[in-house]
């Protein structure tokens, strides 16, 4: 068994866990990973010994805290998140609805942080969850500042509709991206869910490159637009906090 | 090359990254992991292809966002953190200093969340960072409710002193743990740093088992004790939020 092949199998074992899976049986893992049960079982046992997976008393398997710890330590996601968090807390306190931080991973937004209140409006995202880039306000911001070839590849479709308001026409999407670059904000009423409005602004690093999108999800009403200035102000604060040599909050 | 051995090498590559390492060269990784440079280089290349590691333009290696995403998805740390976060935000707003969430990993506290303000008191912890259990208020809470054999193993020492106030005498540590179980709080003035007081309470799951410690780090003065009721109230809220069938915040 070549080293490459073992590593690929380990990756497939972890990829067997979807965003909704708290725990899986070894047979499920084997099936999803396309492995023999014996192979999956042997690798799972070793991953459990390393703390990367853990077993519940009923023998079902979960991701281990050790895996999370190693992944978190040196991750760029954590650095960005730590710079953004104090500003996200202030935004969340003022806006009173979901406040989130997303990065572009392929053609999707990966949400690396979300602050929510129990009474907040409906929101399809979750931490470590994804949405197609063209669907959400965060995705439109990230796509607007993405390399040209990635933009063209997304524009070439298919562009899934989450609601009748999702931008699915390539010509309109091109115009929306230009507008986001010009205005510095993506304002999307009902694109992901009819009841919610998403508002996103770019987060720039010290060199001016867009590294993430900061967004809020608020009720889809005429007051939604009022949150834009608070969001833009918070984005400036995060950029300042990411500047090298700044004391970290 | 046996499968076990490849997996162990991959684990050692990730363990080469310490809490302070944003990026490492392959030679550094190889040295810390005890691997030949050629072996480390080949495994790093494959991990980069899977997105578990990523390369900076200067060829230095970081943990990849994909690794973080997979680790976060099904992790018990995330579930706990999501239940705790709204209460932590409220605590942080009221107390105005570091508010943190820790779990026991071996003989140490692993901090899985921390909310901080730039003006808050000095604090040695960080997200995905660790402290020996006997040193911090969170650790004393977790140790007080840990299995007996783990307690005895920690009591058997050695017990490192961070300040002259750190509990390093086994007899006194035993008394402190009993007091924490009785009072439901660990109140530690100057145990980690002379300038700070740590206050921690247990977080119990729906079955009453202690699964984490909720703590604040405040200035070491006579007002510190005032934060105890707010902390105890927040802990009850988190337990309620973790109850099965409760709407998740």
């Amino acid at each position: 068994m070549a080293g490459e092949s073992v590593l690929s199998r380990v990756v497939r074992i972890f990829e067997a866990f979807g965003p909704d899976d708290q725990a899986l049986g070894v047979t499920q893992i084997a099936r999803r990973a396309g492995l023999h049960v014996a192979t999956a079982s042997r690798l799972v046992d070793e991953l459990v010994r390393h703390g990367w997976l853990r077993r519940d008393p009923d023998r079902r398997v979960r991701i281990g805290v050790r895996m999370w710890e190693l992944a978190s330590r040196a991750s760029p996601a954590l650095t960005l998140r730590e710079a953004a968090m104090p500003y996200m807390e202030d935004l969340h306190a003022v806006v009173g609805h979901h406040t989130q931080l997303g990065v572009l991973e392929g053609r999707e937004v990966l949400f690396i942080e979300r602050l929510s209140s129990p009474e907040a409006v409906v929101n399809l995202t979750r931490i470590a969850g994804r949405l197609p880039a063209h669907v959400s306000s965060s995705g439109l911001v990230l796509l607007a500042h993405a390399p040209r070839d990635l933009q063209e590849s997304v524009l070439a479709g298919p562009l899934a509709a989450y609601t009748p308001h999702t931008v699915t026409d390539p010509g309109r999407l091109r115009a929306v991206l230009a507008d986001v670059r010009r205005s510095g904000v993506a304002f999307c009423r009902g694109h992901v869910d009819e009841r919610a409005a998403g508002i996103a602004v770019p987060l720039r690093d010290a060199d001016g490159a867009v590294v993430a999108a900061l967004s809020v999800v608020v009720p889809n009403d005429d007051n939604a637009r009022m949150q834009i200035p608070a969001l833009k102000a918070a984005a400036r604060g995060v950029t300042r906090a990411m500047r090298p040599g700044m004391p970290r909050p």
Side-chain angles (χ1 to χ4, degrees), chain A:
Chain A
M1 189 184 288
E4 284 66 24
S5 142
V6 173
L7 185 43
S8 298
R9 286 164 192 203
V10 168
V11 169
R12 290 214 300 279
I13 284 176
F14 281 100
E15 289 183 342
F17 288 86
D20 288 316
D21 299 312
Q22 289 285 317
L24 295 175
V26 170
T27 316
Q28 274 176 301
I29 292 174
R31 196 176 54 241
R32 295 188 187 183
L35 297 172
H36 289 294
V37 173
T39 308
S41 184
R42 188 175 52 77
L43 288 170
V44 165
D45 283 346
E46 199 187 348
L47 287 163
V48 168
R49 279 199 298 279
H50 288 295
W52 287 35
L53 294 175
R54 78 163 214 219
R55 269 192 207 279
D56 285 348
D58 66 0
R59 305 276 303 155
R60 280 154 59 90
V61 177
R62 292 172 187 263
I63 307 282
V65 171
R66 180 69 180 148
M67 163 95 173
W68 173 85
E69 178 184 10
L70 292 172
S72 294
R73 275 199 179 167
S75 165
L78 190 65
T79 311
L80 173 63
R81 188 192 160 286
E82 288 204 352
M85 199 58 155
Y87 298 93
M88 290 182 68
E89 282 186 74
D90 289 345
L91 253 189
H92 183 220
V94 171
V95 175
H97 287 278
H98 311 281
T99 304
Q100 42 196 29
L101 184 63
V103 296
L104 197 63
E105 276 282 293
R107 303 152 63 99
E108 296 173 311
V109 191
L110 172 67
F111 291 94
I112 62 174
E113 187 52 81
R114 193 187 68 173
L115 298 178
S116 295
S117 312
E119 67 277 13
V121 71
V122 60
N123 186 356
L124 291 192
T125 69
R126 68 183 78 205
I127 295 169
R130 293 177 177 239
L131 277 177
H134 74 281
V135 172
S136 78
S137 59
S138 299
L140 292 173
V141 160
L142 294 166
L143 204 51
H145 296 280
R148 189 58 179 265
D149 54 347
L150 179 63
Q151 288 181 12
E152 292 304 326
S153 140
V154 172
L155 284 161
L159 299 166
Y162 275 51
T163 74
H165 305 287
T166 311
V167 183
T168 55
D169 175 72
R172 197 176 144 230
L173 180 53
R174 202 181 288 277
V176 166
L177 296 180
D179 181 66
V180 167
R181 280 189 294 271
R182 189 187 51 71
S183 65
V185 62
F187 180 69
C188 303
R189 292 185 62 169
H191 290 208
V192 178
D193 185 293
E194 299 269 7
R195 291 162 289 177
I199 316 172
V201 297
L203 286 185
R204 294 176 187 276
D205 66 13
D207 301 324
V210 172
V211 291
L214 180 66
S215 60
V216 293
V217 178
V218 299
N220 184 3
D221 61 32
D222 293 340
N223 293 323
R225 189 173 285 278
M226 281 178 55
Q227 312 297 349
I228 295 176
L231 207 52
K232 285 187 167 181
R236 295 176 63 95
V238 178
T239 296
R240 213 169 40 242
M242 283 193 289
R243 214 161 276 166
M246 282 295 295
R248 289 272 287 287

